């Protein structure tokens, strides 16, 4: 497997693929009001939906985070004092920069929602004005809605998972022998969250699926080498794709029913299976290790953060009826700006994160040394 240190490169490729799908998903939402119902059904209720499955791609992100954030925590020498400040800087610096840039676009380009199709993503999900208070509160990642840069809703759950990583890891390690039934129970919790409207219950357990993969990764690799399992891997890939979009494929029969919520929860299991295949299936690894996929993976976080405000701004700038031109320009423009954002913001944020982690670890070491010295002084005082 191609690696960069302890990094699994195929997972970078999968992250890039997921980011590209989210971009295409938002393009499809812009186009939706202009597509007849039969055409929209063809796009969303067929295997073509795999290319437009934005919400499901976010589930892939969540499983990936559960895996790649938990893996280093299991290694010798891991420091929580280093992890927390580094993780906070790694998340917040790009988010603050992207949200600030998105706010400037809202100010610079007038937005009249009445010019957009009724009930569309452009009318309902985009900020039409900003204030300093709105920007500051959305920067916290503690709000349920983010109209200035609406993809930030998922970063809220990334933040919560990052803070709760010790709990997720503790649970995964305690139940690792029963990973499969626990994964089934996890999907049931996601289903319960979906049916009750509890967003925390609908999304946070998805991260647990990734953490379960992290604690069983070595076993999964060994099992994937068995001839019978190796022959089944292509079929498992088909199964994973079907699970990921099952709620869409079955929509004509299940729309508005509990079955739709169940299939939506099963998409999380499909996302987990895709992540496993990206690690253990040689054909998937080769595809995800290509130069294009690795480049997308490298800029994936930046692409995720910047593309929605760019697409929305172009639509308002060019006008609703020129939606196709906004998308035609917006896709390559989003990729280009994401590459620049990665260089100018995300990479410096990674450097700051490492420095913050180093400072946190050094402070923890000093506190530990002082505690040991104080304990020794107390012991000597008692002895005398």
């Amino acid at each position: 497997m191609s690696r960069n240190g302890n990094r699994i490169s195929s997972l970078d490729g999968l992250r890039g693929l997921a980011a590209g799908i989210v971009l295409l998903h938002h393009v499809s939402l812009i186009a939706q009001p202009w597509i007849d119902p039969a055409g929209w059904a063809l796009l969303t209720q067929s295997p073509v939906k795999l290319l437009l499955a934005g919400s499901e791609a976010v589930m892939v992100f969540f499983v990936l985070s559960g895996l790649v954030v938990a893996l280093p925590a299991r290694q010798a020498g891991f420091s929580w004092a280093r992890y927390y400040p580094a993780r906070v800087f790694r998340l917040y610096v790009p988010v603050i920069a992207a949200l600030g840039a998105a706010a400037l676009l809202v100010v610079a380009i007038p937005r009249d929602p009445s010019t957009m199709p009724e009930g569309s993503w452009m009318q309902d999900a985009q900020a039409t004005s900003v204030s300093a208070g709105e920007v500051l509160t959305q920067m916290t990642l503690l709000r349920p809605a983010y109209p200035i840069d609406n993809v930030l809703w998922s970063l809220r759950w990334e933040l919560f998972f990052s803070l709760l990583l010790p709990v997720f890891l503790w649970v995964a390690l305690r139940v690792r022998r029963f990973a499969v039934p626990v994964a089934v129970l996890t999907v049931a919790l996601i289903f319960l969250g979906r049916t009750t409207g509890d967003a925390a219950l609908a999304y946070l357990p998805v991260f647990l699926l990734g953490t379960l993969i992290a604690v069983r990764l070595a076993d999964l690799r060994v099992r994937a080498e068995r001839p019978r399992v190796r022959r089944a891997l292509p079929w498992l890939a088909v199964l994973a794709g079907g699970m990921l979009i099952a709620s869409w494929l079955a929509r004509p029969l299940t729309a508005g029913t509990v079955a739709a919520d169940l299939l939506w929860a099963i998409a999380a299991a499909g996302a987990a299976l895709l992540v496993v295949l990206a690690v253990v299936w040689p054909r998937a690894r080769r595809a995800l290790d290509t130069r294009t996929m690795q480049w997308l993976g490298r800029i994936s976080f930046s692409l995720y953060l910047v593309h929605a405000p760019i697409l929305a701004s172009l639509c308002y700038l060019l006008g609703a009826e020129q939606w196709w031109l906004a998308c035609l320009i917006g896709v390559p423009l989003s990729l280009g700006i994401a590459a620049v954002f990665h260089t100018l913001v995300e990479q410096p944020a990674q450097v700051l994160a490492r420095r913050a982690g180093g400072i946190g670890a050094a402070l923890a070491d000093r506190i530990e040394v002082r505690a040991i010295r104080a304990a020794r002084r107390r012991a000597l005082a008692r002895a005398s």
Side-chain angles (χ1 to χ4, degrees), residues 62-375:
F62 288 171
V63 176
L64 281 169
S65 291
L67 170 58
V68 301
V69 176
L71 277 177
R74 300 199 64 212
Q75 296 177 357
F78 178 82
S79 168
W80 291 106
R82 182 185 299 274
Y83 162 77
Y84 275 111
R87 187 65 178 164
V88 167
F89 270 78
R90 179 72 179 88
L91 286 175
Y92 270 108
V93 172
V95 164
I96 291 171
L99 189 56
L104 289 176
L105 285 174
V106 175
V107 172
I109 300 174
R111 300 185 175 198
D112 181 0
S114 67
T115 62
M116 293 295 156
E118 190 70 25
S120 66
W121 180 71
M122 283 299 305
Q123 186 180 75
D124 295 344
Q126 310 301 323
T128 56
S129 63
V130 294
S131 65
E134 280 290 305
V135 174
L136 290 173
T137 57
Q138 291 182 44
M139 280 182 180
T140 65
L141 294 180
L142 299 177
R143 288 181 41 154
Y146 300 84
I148 298 174
D149 188 355
N150 54 56
V151 300
L152 295 185
W153 71 268
S154 68
L155 272 297
R156 179 186 185 217
W157 302 116
E158 291 275 0
L159 174 65
F160 291 164
F161 163 70
S162 298
L163 297 176
L164 294 170
L165 177 60
V167 177
F168 279 79
L169 195 56
W170 182 86
V171 170
L173 288 170
R174 292 300 177 278
V175 302
R176 67 182 306 276
R177 292 177 55 193
F178 312 100
V180 172
V182 170
V184 173
L185 178 61
T186 301
V187 172
L189 290 175
I190 297 168
F191 165 65
L192 180 62
R194 179 73 170 183
T195 56
T196 60
D198 187 328
L201 196 58
Y203 292 114
L204 284 176
V206 183
F207 293 94
L208 182 59
L209 294 174
T211 312
L212 288 169
I213 295 170
V215 301
R216 293 298 302 269
L217 191 58
D219 298 332
L220 289 169
R221 284 172 171 155
V222 170
R223 292 190 179 189
E225 293 299 321
R226 297 175 182 173
R228 182 178 298 178
V229 175
R230 198 180 310 143
R231 289 192 296 270
L233 291 177
W235 297 106
L236 289 176
V238 174
L239 175 63
M243 293 167 68
L244 200 68
I245 60 171
S247 64
W248 290 91
L249 298 178
R251 182 155 293 196
L253 300 175
T254 63
T257 69
V258 175
D261 293 334
L262 177 60
L263 292 175
W264 186 88
I266 287 174
L273 184 53
L274 285 175
V275 170
V276 171
L277 289 169
V279 176
V280 305
W281 187 21
R283 190 178 299 176
R285 294 202 307 263
R286 286 193 296 270
L288 295 170
D289 279 340
T290 59
R291 184 174 299 180
T292 300
M293 288 295 103
Q294 288 297 298
W295 180 78
L296 276 175
R298 190 159 54 250
I299 68 165
S300 58
F301 188 35
S302 296
L303 178 61
Y304 187 74
L305 290 175
V306 306
H307 78 275
I310 292 171
L311 291 172
S313 298
L314 284 170
C315 283
Y316 274 109
L317 182 65
L318 298 174
E321 292 187 355
Q322 300 298 315
W323 64 269
W324 59 272
L325 183 58
C327 294
L328 191 64
I329 297 172
V331 170
L333 185 61
S334 294
L335 291 168
I337 291 179
V340 174
F341 189 91
H342 174 75
T343 300
L344 298 182
V345 177
E346 191 179 352
Q347 286 184 329
Q350 293 169 356
V351 173
L352 286 174
R354 287 192 291 269
R355 290 177 179 173
I359 292 171
L363 288 174
D365 289 343
R366 289 180 184 178
I367 292 171
E368 183 179 2
V369 168
R370 289 179 181 178
I372 292 172
R373 288 175 179 173

